[in-house]
Amino acid sequence: YDQILIKNPKQPDALHLRGLIALQTGAAGLAVEYIRKAARLQPKNWAFKGNLAAALLETHDSEGARTLYLRAAQLKPDAPQFQTGIANCYAMQGKFADAEKQLRTVTQRFPQFALAWFNLGNVQRDQGNLRQSVEHYAHAVALDPGLIDARNNLGASLLALGRTEDAESAYREALQLRPDDIQLLCNLASVLIDRGQFADAETQCRRAIALAPASATAYSFLGAAIGHQGRLLDALEIHRKAADLAPGDVRALVALGTALAELGNTAEGIPILKRAAELAPDVWQTRASLG
């Protein structure tokens, strides 16, 4: 695409597709530049406007994204992804009631569109309606079994409701579809720790670390799994590794400080816990651990 654009800087498809590559590789700002140029060349191209809106949403320009999603929806009224995008903009702005209203309209008009149900689950979760979020996530998964994000969020809502066995099942089913997903492995390990299955949790953490050796989250859960098995010195070294990998991670700092205190080294543990409390003054767990 770069070679095409050198010869023809105003080739709209090349600009658009080059922008999509930037968006898919995490360069949202660059994506906005390319796709905006394409959209200016073809102002009635609904795909250009919709993808420009998606790029703007990644740059946290929710109002600009909403304007473009509205225009894309006008140009392509039978495309539910644009209607859903409008709701996502509302949600990013904290307007959850507006987002929910928009998504209910989408699910009524396009009942088979799994992403709308998934996003409705997110909005319910963000409003504290966990039981409703479970229903919507489960419906999204039924419509699209390969929607991993819906399975992952389903597990999280089930866990928050204390349904740990169901949460474990949700994560395991997701891992069957994506066995090398680090987040899913860590989430499964977290549930297994809550359920007292510490050896299995250790196995899942080691799988995650083998795939992502710099994952502080995997090391944190590994330390917890090992500590619960009574191998406190080993757990301490693991927690040190996690804190080294993510020195600003409050959870890693609390785990390290607590591990040190449990082994009688409060002289080193207390300053670490104080640092965690300074980083997250509104998180009660850090102050409880320090106390």
Side-chain angles (χ1 to χ4, degrees):
Y1 294 129
D2 286 338
Q3 290 175 4
I4 292 170
L5 291 170
I6 289 171
K7 294 181 179 180
N8 185 358
K10 293 185 178 182
Q11 213 296 323
D13 291 325
L15 286 166
H16 175 232
L17 294 169
R18 180 65 182 86
L20 283 183
I21 289 175
L23 183 60
Q24 292 164 357
T25 55
L30 187 61
V32 168
E33 293 180 23
Y34 279 111
I35 303 174
R36 179 169 279 151
K37 290 178 181 177
R40 286 172 178 165
L41 291 166
Q42 293 186 2
K44 293 187 178 181
N45 188 311
W46 53 267
F48 291 2
K49 290 192 181 297
N51 287 328
L52 178 55
L56 286 170
L57 203 57
E58 287 296 314
T59 66
H60 304 286
D61 183 0
S62 57
E63 192 56 38
R66 189 172 72 89
T67 299
L68 283 163
Y69 275 132
L70 284 166
R71 181 59 178 146
Q74 291 170 352
L75 292 168
K76 185 71 171 174
D78 59 343
Q81 66 268 31
F82 302 142
Q83 304 284 346
T84 302
I86 295 168
N88 290 339
C89 292
Y90 282 133
M92 182 174 281
Q93 295 169 344
K95 300 176 181 178
F96 298 119
D98 291 335
E100 181 178 349
K101 181 180 178 180
Q102 174 71 16
L103 286 166
R104 290 197 181 281
T105 299
V106 179
T107 55
Q108 288 172 4
R109 187 178 174 194
F110 305 98
Q112 300 302 310
F113 188 57
L115 278 174
W117 291 101
F118 165 62
N119 283 284
L120 184 55
N122 289 340
V123 169
Q124 293 287 14
R125 175 203 62 194
D126 292 340
Q127 294 180 97
N129 302 323
L130 292 175
R131 286 181 175 81
Q132 291 91 329
S133 76
V134 166
E135 292 176 8
H136 297 319
Y137 289 142
H139 191 61
V141 169
L143 291 171
D144 184 358
L147 192 55
I148 300 296
D149 288 342
R151 290 183 181 276
N152 188 39
N153 289 9
L154 173 61
S157 287
L158 288 167
L159 180 60
L161 288 168
R163 295 170 57 183
T164 56
E165 184 176 355
D166 292 333
E168 179 185 344
S169 296
Y171 289 135
R172 288 194 186 278
E173 288 172 3
L175 279 165
Q176 288 178 357
L177 298 172
R178 193 182 293 171
D180 294 340
D181 189 299
I182 308 303
Q183 183 181 8
L184 287 172
L185 287 167
C186 289
N187 288 345
L188 175 58
S190 175
V191 172
L192 291 170
I193 290 170
D194 286 348
R195 302 197 68 210
Q197 299 176 27
F198 306 125
D200 194 357
E202 179 180 351
T203 298
Q204 303 304 327
C205 290
R206 293 195 183 281
R207 283 180 59 196
I209 290 169
L211 293 165
S215 173
T217 301
Y219 275 103
S220 289
F221 286 131
L222 177 59
I226 289 175
H228 281 298
Q229 295 178 72
R231 292 145 54 197
L232 299 183
L233 289 175
D234 291 340
L236 175 60
E237 294 310 309
I238 296 295
H239 286 309
R240 283 194 192 278
K241 177 70 173 179
D244 288 342
L245 288 169
D249 187 312
V250 173
R251 182 173 56 186
L253 292 172
V254 170
L256 175 57
T258 303
L260 286 163
E262 287 176 348
L263 288 167
N265 189 354
T266 52
E268 186 181 356
I270 286 176
I272 292 172
L273 291 169
K274 284 184 176 179
R275 182 178 162 205
E278 290 170 358
L279 289 171
D282 296 329
V283 177
W284 66 266
Q285 290 92 336
T286 61
R287 294 189 178 277
S289 297
L290 179 58

